[in-house]
Amino acid sequence: MNDENCIFCKIIKKEIPSKIIFEDDKTLAFLDINPISEGHAIVIPKDHYETLEFLPDNELKCLYQTVKKVAKLIYEKLNPDGYNIIQNNYKAAGQVIDHFHVHIIPRESGDKKITLALPRSSASNEILTSVMEKIKS
Ligand code: 5GP
Ligand code: ZN
């Protein structure tokens, strides 16, 4: 199951070259061509699904097993101080390639590559209750 116009499907089929870190029947991990940091990697399922909701549960398990394997490899071999796992869904959340993918982004202490100081405001009990009602309806 693939999309002939999808860059990541082309990477899977080796029609576009990439630096492959790990590959098995269901998943592929390769270096991001525009890395945020040294070792920035992308992990994808070999079947084309656009976002998280479409990924079957059995594929999700395989995918995150590969994320864990590659994150461990990067942490042990490149010795970053830490790493972020980021997964964007839909354009509003920054997704550019419409083939489900997980970013593994190595971090150094104080590198300021990604700021997680997100703007937050406290919510009243009424607001949280109203959100819960929408989710559970
Ligand atoms: P998104 O913003 O969709 O979550 O991230 C897509 C990522 O795919 C970006 O970080 C981008 O640099 C990477 N990317 C896009 N095209 C290619 C490509 O042809 N090869 C590789 N290795 N990475 C790509
Ligand atoms: Zn694809």
Side-chain angles (χ1 to χ4, degrees), residues 59-71:
E59 298 234 13
L60 188 67
K61 186 176 177 197
C62 297
L63 198 282
Y64 271 89
Q65 281 173 336
T66 299
V67 170
K68 180 178 171 184
K69 201 183 295 258
V70 173

Side-chain angles (χ1 to χ4, degrees), residues 7-8 11 16-19 30-36 40-42 86-91 93-99 101-103 105:
I7 289 175
F8 286 176
I11 287 177
I16 291 180
S18 69
K19 302 290 186 207
F30 54 95
L31 290 178
D32 194 302
I33 205 166
N34 305 303
I36 291 172
H40 179 173
I42 301 274
I86 296 183
Q87 201 272 301
N88 301 324
N89 296 278
Y90 299 104
K91 300 241 173 312
Q95 183 175 12
V96 174
I97 307 289
D98 291 334
H99 182 130
H101 55 279
V102 175
H103 295 262
I105 305 171

